[in-house]
């Protein structure tokens, strides 16, 4: 087992990474606070892992809330259903929520914890690669709106993140590949050595080699924890973690949530960011080719959907958390391992990247 720490003063918390951690009662019991616990999961994950978690809490009052599975259910309506079940169960403000599932479960359970009775405690147990390396760490919580992804939410740090890599054994290949997009992101935005390692080991990751996955998860979490410790509420450097996300969120919103997985949209968005960086003369063609080759080897899409026009993408990208005073800011690349947030880009170059025939 590996233990990392997200250093946030009084809100610091551990990230536990290892195989078989759901069989270790001590880790979960150390994290849980209070006598009341509610496990929030979904219809896919609950049959696999809910009882494993519950059995370590049999001396506590434990409830569970099972959500439908899918990005399209990450809504205010689903959030309200969680509040209703918590209230009907008379769960007080000393209750600990446990998010057991992927990014959707973690985001919406975390937002429920941030909001219920003005804030209760919660624990993240991510069961997808994407959630393990990204969404479970850093305290971003929220839901989607028809006009924009993750536009409603709050910062609310968990008590702990418990990553049992054994849960990846049941993860569909498409979901595993989607998680690799966020892993690749860390190499691009600030860890060129890790990007080199990924080029050498991407086949091992897709084959679910346990040691390779554990290393990639640890390295990704180290990168994210370091950035979050410097900028918890995304006032500066944390915005770099959105590499590819402004493009990707536009794809997800434009197609309808759930049509493309989040990691698939981010992968395409990262290559679009790389291509725009190349259009601006910042990123060499050889680097763009390396990025595209790695994404393809990871089984990820690199061409935006033809049904989203340049104009539609522009409209969707205008509704983004990085827009300040009406000015769109993007995370772009100077090199592999060197990202920056900027509003200094040629609109015509952006239009060329957003034009489907030019982006292919």
């Amino acid at each position: 087992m590996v233990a990392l720490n997200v250093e946030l003063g009084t809100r610091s918390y551990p990230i536990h990474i290892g195989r078989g951690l759901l069989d270790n009662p001590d880790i979960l019991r150390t994290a849980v606070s209070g006598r009341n616990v509610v496990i929030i999961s979904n219809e896919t994950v609950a049959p696999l892992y809910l009882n494993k978690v519950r059995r370590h809490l049999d001396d506590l009052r434990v409830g569970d809330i099972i959500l439908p599975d899918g990005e399209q259910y990450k809504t205010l309506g689903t959030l309200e259903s969680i509040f209703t079940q918590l209230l009907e169960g008379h769960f007080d403000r000393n209750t600990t929520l446990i998010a057991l599932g992927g990014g959707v479960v973690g985001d919406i359970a975390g937002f429920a914890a941030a909001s219920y009775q003005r804030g209760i405690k919660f624990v993240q147990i991510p069961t997808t690669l994407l959630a393990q390396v990204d969404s479970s760490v850093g305290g971003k919580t929220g839901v989607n709106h028809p006009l924009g992804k993750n536009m409603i939410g709050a910062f609310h740090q968990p008590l702990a993140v418990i990553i049992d890599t054994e849960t990846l054994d049941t993860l569909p290949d498409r979901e595993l590949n989607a998680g690799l997009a966020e892993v690749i992101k860390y190499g691009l935005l600030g860890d060129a050595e890790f990007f080199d390692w990924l080029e050498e080991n991407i086949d091992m990751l897709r084959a679910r080699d346990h040691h390779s996955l554990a290393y990639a998860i640890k390295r990704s979490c180290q990168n994210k924890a370091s950035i979050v410790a410097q900028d918890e509420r995304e006032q500066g450097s944390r915005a770099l973690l959105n590499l590819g996300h402004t493009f990707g969120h536009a794809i997800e919103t434009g197609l309808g949530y759930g049509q493309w997985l989040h990691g698939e949209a981010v992968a395409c968005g990262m290559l679009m960011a790389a291509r725009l960086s190349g259009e601006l003369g910042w990123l060499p063609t050889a680097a763009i080719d390396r990025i595209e080759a790695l994404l393809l080897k990871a089984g990820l899409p690199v061409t935006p959907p033809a049904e989203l026009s340049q104009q539609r993408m522009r409209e969707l990208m205008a509704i983004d958390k990085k827009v300040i005073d009406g000015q769109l800011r993007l995370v772009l690349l100077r090199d592999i391992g060197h990202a920056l947030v900027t509003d200094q880009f040629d609109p015509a170059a952006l239009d060329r990247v957003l034009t489907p025939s030019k982006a292919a």
Side-chain angles (χ1 to χ4, degrees), residues 101-107 124-137 161 163 168 171 175 178-179 182 186 217 221 224 262:
V104 171
V105 169
D107 281 4
Q124 288 271 21
I125 304 181
T127 60
T128 67
L129 180 60
L130 189 146
Q132 290 172 356
V133 301
D134 189 65
S135 60
S136 67
V137 178
V161 180
I163 299 173
L168 300 181
L171 192 67
E175 293 269 4
E182 294 283 5
Y186 293 108
I217 293 167
C221 287
K224 183 157 191 182
H262 175 65

Side-chain angles (χ1 to χ4, degrees), residues 45-249:
V45 175
L48 298 170
Y49 302 114
L50 179 61
N51 287 337
K52 270 196 169 191
V53 175
R54 284 191 72 113
R55 71 184 180 185
H56 301 318
L57 306 168
D58 56 6
D59 60 327
L60 304 179
R61 178 177 177 243
V62 181
D64 57 66
I65 297 173
I66 310 303
L67 307 177
D69 186 10
E71 186 80 31
Q72 64 269 35
Y73 299 108
K74 188 177 159 184
T75 64
L76 286 170
T78 302
L79 182 68
E80 183 177 6
S81 75
I82 294 173
F83 292 148
T84 298
Q85 292 178 73
L86 291 173
L87 290 166
E88 288 176 344
H90 301 286
F91 286 100
D92 61 28
R93 69 191 321 168
N94 288 324
T95 300
T96 299
L97 297 188
I98 296 176
L100 175 65
V104 171
V105 169
D107 281 4
I108 201 165
F111 192 24
S115 309
Y116 186 66
Q117 298 198 27
R118 297 189 176 91
I120 61 175
K121 296 173 181 177
F122 85 114
V123 174
Q124 288 271 21
I125 304 181
T127 60
T128 67
L129 180 60
L130 189 146
Q132 290 172 356
V133 301
D134 189 65
S135 60
S136 67
V137 178
K140 276 189 176 182
T141 73
V143 296
N144 299 331
H145 187 278
L147 294 179
K149 184 177 169 70
N150 291 335
M151 294 301 287
I152 304 167
F155 288 97
H156 190 59
Q157 301 295 342
L159 295 172
V161 180
I162 302 170
I163 299 173
D164 185 344
T165 58
E166 198 169 284
T167 62
L168 300 181
D169 293 349
T170 59
L171 192 67
D173 288 342
R174 184 183 175 195
E175 293 269 4
L176 184 79
N177 295 347
L180 290 173
E182 294 283 5
V183 173
I184 292 167
K185 177 188 75 176
Y186 293 108
L188 287 174
L189 67 87
D191 193 347
E193 182 182 89
F194 185 38
F195 188 90
D196 295 343
W197 182 90
L198 289 169
E199 287 181 310
E200 295 296 321
N201 292 276
I202 193 67
D203 291 337
M204 296 290 284
L205 292 171
R206 293 190 70 186
R208 301 172 195 252
D209 176 74
H210 296 152
H211 294 294
S212 299
L213 282 169
Y215 176 77
I217 293 167
K218 181 183 98 169
R219 186 84 172 239
S220 298
C221 287
Q222 285 173 327
N223 275 295
K224 183 157 191 182
S226 174
I227 292 172
V228 169
Q230 297 169 39
D231 179 21
E232 181 182 3
R233 292 181 174 264
E234 202 170 290
Q235 300 301 305
S237 61
R238 184 167 179 172
L240 294 173
L241 292 168
N242 291 303
L243 175 64
H245 284 58
T246 301
F247 297 98
H249 286 173

